[in-house]
Amino acid sequence: EQWSQRKVRDEGLGLIVVKDFPDFQKEREAALRAVRDFANLPEEVKERYTDPVSNYSFGWSHGKEKMRSGVPDMAKGSYYANPLQNVITQDQSLKEQFPELY
């Protein structure tokens, strides 16, 4: 097993590579501010942005994902979105068959 595979699995390290994005630092800082503002909203507001049908694969997710032990992960919140399109498909049968993908 490679060191990098072990680190990602055991320590949760991740890697994001960004290229050809001239204003990356400015946009990153704006996104981080928006994330903080969203995370500080009242729970009832954030709950409107959850998507239980997709098993929380879209929208806001906090405490929905379970650890290996079955305990909810309360240490982080996530907001899942497709950055390229708001609507990936109009095919309702695909949405029903694969809600976590569409």
Side-chain angles (χ1 to χ4, degrees):
E1 182 176 48
Q2 292 182 354
W3 174 88
S4 59
Q5 290 172 325
R6 192 172 58 255
K7 285 297 219 183
V8 169
R9 184 195 67 224
D10 296 344
E11 297 181 28
L13 298 177
L15 175 68
I16 297 175
V17 176
V18 178
K19 68 181 222 177
D20 300 326
F21 194 153
D23 293 325
F24 174 73
Q25 189 61 34
K26 181 179 84 179
E27 297 295 334
R28 177 182 175 275
E29 289 171 8
L32 289 173
R33 281 191 296 276
V35 167
R36 183 193 60 229
D37 292 346
F38 183 87
N40 287 319
L41 289 171
E43 291 301 320
E44 60 271 9
V45 173
K46 292 185 286 192
E47 193 62 29
R48 287 186 281 186
Y49 296 91
T50 64
D51 188 19
V53 172
S54 71
N55 199 26
Y56 304 97
S57 293
F58 295 99
W60 176 245
S61 173
H62 179 247
K64 310 298 184 188
E65 298 161 300
K66 304 275 193 283
M67 306 278 233
R68 232 180 252 165
S69 64
V71 174
D73 182 1
M74 301 302 288
K76 67 165 182 67
S78 300
Y79 197 104
Y80 301 102
N82 182 326
L84 301 178
Q85 302 175 17
N86 284 330
V87 179
I88 297 171
T89 183
Q90 295 295 335
D91 187 330
Q92 193 59 36
S93 65
L94 284 175
K95 290 179 180 182
E96 290 170 5
Q97 188 173 3
F98 306 104
E100 62 281 346
L101 299 178
Y102 297 104

